[in-house]
Amino acid sequence: MRILLTNDDGIDATGIQVLWQELLKIGEVVVVAPDVERSAASQAITVHSPIRVDKYCASDSRLCGWRIGGTPADCVKIALETLVSTTPDFVVSGINHGPNLGTDVLYSGTVSAAIEGSLHGIPSVAVSLDSWKSSDFKPAAEFTAKLLQDIFQRSLPSNTLLNVNVPALSAEQIAGVAITKLGVRQYANVFEPRLDPRGRTYYWMGGEVVENVNDADSDIVAINKSKISVTPIHFDLTNYGIMETLKSWKL
Ligand SMILES: Nc1nc2c(ncn2[C@@H]2O[C@H](COP(=O)(O)O)[C@@H](O)[C@H]2O)c(=O)[nH]1
């Protein structure tokens, strides 16, 4: 199988390199990834400035690929539409250093790269490790390789991506796999005011996750139960439930 591999933490990130080494065992892998961290880039693309592209080999691994001066969505677009001559069987994005649960998926560059793959009709997978501290990506990488082999045998609808979140635990501690829905993920954001050298105020955004009550079949509950969460996502954003009401308004 042929895999296009990207991320949003940057081509030098540990997560993509560990995943690359695992995916090499099951197929041909082309890496097209951002030059630096692009977290929270969502589906942003670069339209008003140049996109720099160069071949790059990571300093501490054998990973070589295309390094892109752009967002995760840029990486997938330019790979599929310019750099890569053969359409891959999968687009894989990750492994993100930190979770992408619930409405995180609307902000996540990791998930957006997989969305871009699914918008090109290619089955895609986004993978995130549920920790900003742990750097043991191996269990998540091993699960992802097995998941791709399962999809390859069974196939996935082309407009679908799987959003995978893996607990930061050893393979033995992980309590199984749950097929989930997106939960409700909210933050108590803080915009910290500061002064620049010219006396102008600027802000740094931070924030903590607000613990919400989530349904038992949600991704957030699965992760809290030490399970790997696999959420199927597609992009028909139409709210069909209110269409008849709107029609009755005779606008
Ligand atoms: N402080 C806040 N962080 C947020 C909010 N919504 C999402 N997020 C975080 O962004 C990352 C983006 O994911 P990545 O794959 O691009 O690294 C996501 O995982 C959340 O942790 C918010 O409202 N406030």
Side-chain angles (χ1 to χ4, degrees):
M1 70 178 81
R2 291 183 302 272
I3 302 162
L4 172 60
L5 176 60
T6 189
N7 73 346
D8 85 334
D9 288 341
I11 196 165
D12 256 330
T14 305
I16 194 171
Q17 296 183 43
V18 173
L19 182 52
W20 172 76
Q21 285 162 353
E22 207 59 41
L23 296 183
L24 274 183
K25 298 175 186 173
I26 64 169
E28 178 191 328
V29 185
V30 175
V31 175
V32 183
D35 50 354
V36 295
E37 175 166 3
R38 303 278 180 158
S39 275
S42 189
Q43 213 71 35
I45 51 175
T46 302
V47 292
H48 296 298
S49 52
I51 299 176
R52 304 283 182 198
V53 178
D54 64 350
K55 293 288 274 184
Y56 175 78
C57 291
S59 50
D60 53 355
S61 82
R62 293 175 294 114
L63 182 153
C64 288
W66 296 97
R67 177 173 58 179
I68 309 297
T71 68
D74 287 328
C75 291
V76 176
K77 277 185 183 296
I78 202 167
L80 296 178
E81 298 171 27
T82 301
L83 301 176
V84 174
S85 52
T86 310
T87 303
D89 298 295
F90 294 106
V91 172
V92 179
S93 176
I95 303 170
N96 190 60
H97 213 171
N100 278 300
L101 298 161
T103 40
D104 286 343
V105 303
L106 300 175
Y107 301 87
S108 165
T110 304
V111 177
S112 297
I115 290 168
E116 199 63 41
S118 69
L119 293 176
H120 279 77
I122 301 170
S124 300
V125 177
V127 193
S128 302
L129 182 68
D130 181 39
S131 169
W132 288 279
K133 296 187 181 70
S134 164
S135 56
D136 182 6
F137 292 97
K138 186 84 169 164
E142 289 171 342
F143 175 78
T144 304
K146 184 183 176 307
L147 178 63
L148 291 183
Q149 290 174 307
D150 288 345
I151 301 171
F152 198 59
Q153 286 163 8
R154 296 182 171 89
S155 86
L156 199 62
S158 61
N159 64 343
T160 298
L161 67 121
L162 299 182
N163 184 43
V164 178
N165 282 273
V166 180
L169 300 168
S170 68
E172 297 70 33
Q173 293 171 311
I174 290 174
V177 179
I179 305 304
T180 60
K181 68 180 185 183
L182 295 176
V184 176
R185 182 92 152 158
Q186 291 172 317
Y187 291 78
N189 286 318
V190 174
F191 292 89
E192 184 183 321
R194 297 184 179 177
L195 281 184
D196 71 13
R198 291 176 175 71
R200 293 171 303 184
T201 299
Y202 65 94
Y203 294 87
W204 268 106
M205 175 183 170
E208 297 297 328
V209 177
V210 173
E211 290 307 323
N212 279 298
V213 176
N214 273 282
D215 293 346
D217 56 350
S218 69
D219 50 0
I220 293 164
V221 169
I223 281 287
N224 290 340
K225 291 183 174 178
S226 302
K227 292 185 178 185
I228 294 172
S229 168
V230 178
T231 309
I233 295 176
H234 64 172
F235 268 85
D236 181 346
L237 298 177
T238 304
N239 180 348
Y240 294 97
I242 67 160
M243 287 181 78
E244 289 310 314
T245 302
L246 286 176
K247 287 176 184 173
S248 74
W249 291 0
K250 306 284 184 227
L251 295 173

